[in-house]
Amino acid sequence: MRGASQAKWVVAAVAVALAATACGSGSSSSSDGAANAAGTFSYQSTEPQHPLQPANAMEVGGGRVVKNLFRGLVDYDPADGKLRNQVADKIETTDAQHYTVTLKSGWTFHDGTPVTAASFVDAWNWSANTKNDQINSNWFSDIAGYDAVHPEKGDPTADKMSGLKVVDDTHFTIDLTAPVSYFQYKLGYTAFSPLPKSFFADPAKAGENPVGNGPYKFVSWEHNKAVTLAAYDKYAGSDKPKNGGIVFKNYSQAEAAYKDLVSDNLDVLDQVDPSDLASYKNDLGDRAVDQPMGGITSIAFAMYQDAWKSVDKAKVRQGLSMAIDRETITKTVLNGSRAAADAWVAPGVAGYKKGACGEACTFNPEQAKKLITEGGGVPNNKLTITYNADGGHKDWVDAVCNSIRQSTGVECVGDAKPDFKSARDVIDGHKVESLMRSAWQQDYPLNANFLRDIYGTGASANDSLYSSPAFDKLAKEADAAADVTKTTELYAQAEAQLAKDMPSIPLWYYKVNSGWSKKVQNVKFDSFGDPVFTQVEVKK
């Protein structure tokens, strides 16, 4: 999942790897005060980029809202990161290609209608269809018949994927085009949520006034200000809310959110802004959070621009990476809140390979200049880095540019857009001149999510439009592996191709640097970097 003010998205012996991604927790004691089950709390957010439809939310501004409105077949236990069933009673397969899904009874949508097998099959077929313009449509590409509803060119030749069949209200089958050893882990992503019948009558209206099946129901969306949700009293999941609802409160400046938190006008923070990192632990005391999470910040090249398409430019890209002093920037500008990246996959994720970036992620100004010269130089000897100004990124963008300028003589400046949505519109429109901020928060804890889902040809998060037949071949082999362990090994080989091509420059790994107000308690964060929203308690 793309990050707004932070990082969007399974495993080496599955149990071991998922345990390795288990979250730490910055939690308050529930003995601090009596909880108010009816009380709502506020959370720092950004304006959703798209309508609130499950397959149309990739960035965290909309993604976190959708994640609370809907529940799919499975999700991840925030206590240990392990896969757990939600609407699914069981998902069975003998070959990782053909699946039979059995649903639990008793689940309902917020309009009172039942969640059935057709709720999933109809939702997935609609979301995959190219006519419906869903940003996460390619998440369904493993399913047989996807190419008929989402052809590379032209109109769909079908409105249903042949690999989905409803058996009865509580059973359906899934056939994939080939085995995918970790497919059940992908099913935890919100794109695979069910939809009620009312959605299909008016999808646009449903995007503004969504009806889900999750722990919270929709109340209101005051654009550019807030999205408000209320606890759903008939929620059938295992993670029933301990509060009355959430207000996702928009902030155009991260510094303003922090000031509101300190003054108890905001209850839970997304991330501490750079200017307050040095003091937030003293300000908040035991309400401060500092823990690892599965996320990474990179800067990606606009590989669709002619200036960056040349094979020789790989040397230039590698040289620019060597020109960045990650260690100094993370320790000073970012006050130790990040860890210098040495790979494209975050530590703690199954398949992470330390040092996968090689020498390109080691600060070496002399070698940087040499490679840039050998590769023909930076076009016009100038770079820009496109980013959103509302996320507290200016300081580190300036620091990265200063490091490149001082190390190589290449001019580098930040290209700030006023807010996250504005930046995404430029990036999605493929209008970036040279480099763009590219942050990723895991959707599922497997290296495939950091590799195929960002760098695969045609992947929905492939903002740079990077395309490598060698990378795609290795990714395809990894997906077809007999087990998850082999899958992660093959994806590590695909990551080595990124080191050769350098379509992006890994910068640093995220931590959760956050906190909460005196009005709430039992605040914990999962390995995705999100608060465990349902567990937050509002004091009386």
Side-chain angles (χ1 to χ4, degrees):
M1 181 183 290
R2 293 190 182 110
S5 57
Q6 62 180 50
K8 173 265 219 88
W9 315 248
V10 194
V11 211
V14 172
V16 174
L18 284 174
T21 63
C23 62
S25 69
S27 66
S28 60
S29 168
S30 58
S31 63
D32 289 347
N36 177 12
T40 62
F41 70 95
S42 56
Y43 176 72
Q44 176 195 359
S45 190
T46 60
E47 177 70 3
Q49 186 186 5
H50 299 289
L52 297 174
Q53 300 159 325
N56 216 13
M58 184 180 292
E59 32 62 64
V60 294
R64 286 177 176 143
V65 176
V66 168
K67 184 183 283 189
N68 283 284
L69 287 169
F70 293 87
R71 281 293 183 269
L73 297 172
V74 298
D75 69 359
Y76 309 99
D77 191 325
D80 57 15
K82 292 182 179 180
L83 198 67
R84 67 180 179 185
N85 287 346
Q86 284 285 12
V87 185
D89 182 48
K90 54 186 176 180
I91 302 173
E92 299 171 294
T93 184
T94 58
D95 58 5
Q97 183 174 358
H98 306 285
Y99 296 81
T100 298
V101 178
T102 302
L103 305 182
K104 296 173 184 174
S105 299
W107 279 76
T108 60
F109 289 105
H110 301 151
D111 61 4
T113 59
V115 178
T116 66
S119 306
F120 284 94
V121 170
D122 292 347
W124 298 2
N125 280 323
W126 186 89
S127 298
N129 195 305
T130 189
K131 288 186 175 181
N132 297 321
D133 197 26
Q134 297 293 284
I135 196 168
N136 287 318
S137 58
N138 78 319
W139 278 77
F140 304 96
S141 61
D142 296 318
I143 300 173
Y146 173 79
D147 55 350
V149 302
H150 199 112
E152 290 187 11
K153 295 180 180 179
D155 293 331
T157 57
D159 58 6
K160 297 178 181 178
M161 290 181 280
S162 59
L164 298 176
K165 302 290 184 185
V166 174
V167 177
D168 56 38
D169 280 352
T170 56
H171 295 84
F172 70 98
T173 60
I174 308 168
D175 293 336
L176 308 183
T177 55
V180 177
S181 63
Y182 57 97
F183 184 70
Q184 292 187 52
Y185 294 92
K186 295 181 70 173
L187 290 174
Y189 189 51
T190 50
F192 290 97
S193 299
L195 289 169
K197 290 181 179 179
S198 61
F199 174 91
F200 304 101
D202 193 340
K205 179 181 178 181
E208 291 289 322
N209 190 359
V211 175
N213 67 321
Y216 297 94
K217 60 185 179 181
F218 179 80
V219 175
S220 65
W221 183 0
E222 192 175 1
H223 284 280
N224 299 308
K225 291 187 178 180
V227 177
T228 301
L229 310 181
Y232 178 47
D233 58 1
K234 294 183 176 61
Y235 176 60
S238 58
D239 52 337
K240 292 178 172 55
K242 294 182 179 180
N243 53 71
I246 313 166
V247 178
F248 290 87
K249 190 176 178 181
N250 288 6
Y251 284 89
S252 60
Q253 296 296 329
E255 294 84 355
Y258 182 76
K259 288 178 180 177
D260 274 2
L261 182 82
V262 172
S263 59
D264 289 331
N265 291 317
L266 174 70
D267 293 317
V268 183
L269 196 69
D270 175 14
Q271 286 276 25
V272 177
D273 63 281
S275 64
D276 289 301
L277 282 169
S279 61
Y280 87 101
K281 291 181 181 178
N282 286 333
D283 293 343
L284 301 178
D286 62 4
R287 292 182 288 114
V289 182
D290 182 357
Q291 70 180 53
M293 63 164 284
I296 187 172
T297 291
S298 304
I299 47 176
F301 290 90
M303 300 292 284
Y304 45 83
Q305 298 288 4
D306 289 340
W308 294 109
K309 287 180 180 177
S310 167
V311 174
D312 290 340
K313 291 303 177 188
K315 285 188 175 182
V316 176
R317 296 190 292 270
Q318 291 165 349
L320 290 169
S321 180
M322 289 183 182
I324 300 170
D325 189 353
R326 296 165 178 78
E327 294 291 344
T328 297
I329 294 173
T330 54
K331 289 176 182 176
T332 57
V333 177
L334 296 171
N335 286 286
S337 65
R338 305 289 186 267
D342 60 1
W344 283 266
V345 176
V349 172
Y352 163 71
K353 186 176 181 181
K354 184 176 177 59
C357 182
E359 293 183 356
C361 284
T362 301
F363 183 52
N364 187 335
E366 291 303 316
Q367 183 67 5
K369 286 186 284 190
K370 181 175 182 290
L371 286 174
I372 290 171
T373 299
E374 289 178 357
V378 171
N380 300 316
N381 203 46
K382 183 177 179 179
L383 295 169
T384 58
I385 301 176
T386 300
Y387 69 97
N388 55 302
D390 62 345
H393 306 302
K394 183 180 186 302
D395 291 348
W396 71 255
V397 170
D398 289 347
V400 167
C401 275
N402 287 338
S403 187
I404 290 173
R405 187 184 306 111
Q406 292 169 11
S407 298
T408 67
V410 173
E411 181 58 27
C412 180
V413 295
D415 175 24
K417 305 305 176 186
D419 52 40
F420 184 73
K421 185 179 186 302
S422 300
R424 285 305 322 168
D425 288 344
V426 171
I427 293 169
D428 290 345
H430 305 127
K431 297 176 181 178
V432 173
E433 289 298 320
S434 46
L435 284 158
M436 67 200 91
R437 172 183 170 269
S438 177
W440 191 255
Q441 174 184 323
Q442 68 180 22
D443 297 309
Y444 52 95
L446 177 73
N447 59 355
N449 185 228
F450 288 79
L451 299 173
R452 169 188 166 178
D453 296 334
I454 304 176
Y455 300 104
T457 299
S460 55
N462 189 345
D463 295 329
S464 68
L465 299 190
Y466 167 71
S467 181
S468 164
F471 178 92
D472 292 340
K473 180 176 181 291
L474 288 164
K476 185 175 182 180
E477 291 173 1
D479 287 348
D483 56 52
V484 174
T485 300
K486 186 63 176 176
T487 290
T488 60
E489 292 173 356
L490 288 169
Y491 265 112
Q493 294 180 30
E495 187 176 15
Q497 185 63 40
L498 297 183
K500 296 177 182 177
D501 297 339
M502 214 73 194
S504 69
I505 297 175
L507 294 179
W508 37 75
Y509 303 120
Y510 272 93
K511 292 183 182 179
V512 178
N513 298 106
S514 184
W516 61 89
S517 75
K518 296 175 183 176
K519 295 180 180 180
V520 294
Q521 61 192 20
N522 198 39
V523 181
K524 302 176 181 179
F525 287 76
D526 60 24
S527 63
F528 295 78
D530 295 336
V532 185
F533 290 97
T534 56
Q535 298 303 300
V536 176
E537 298 175 357
V538 180
K539 296 180 182 178
K540 290 183 179 178

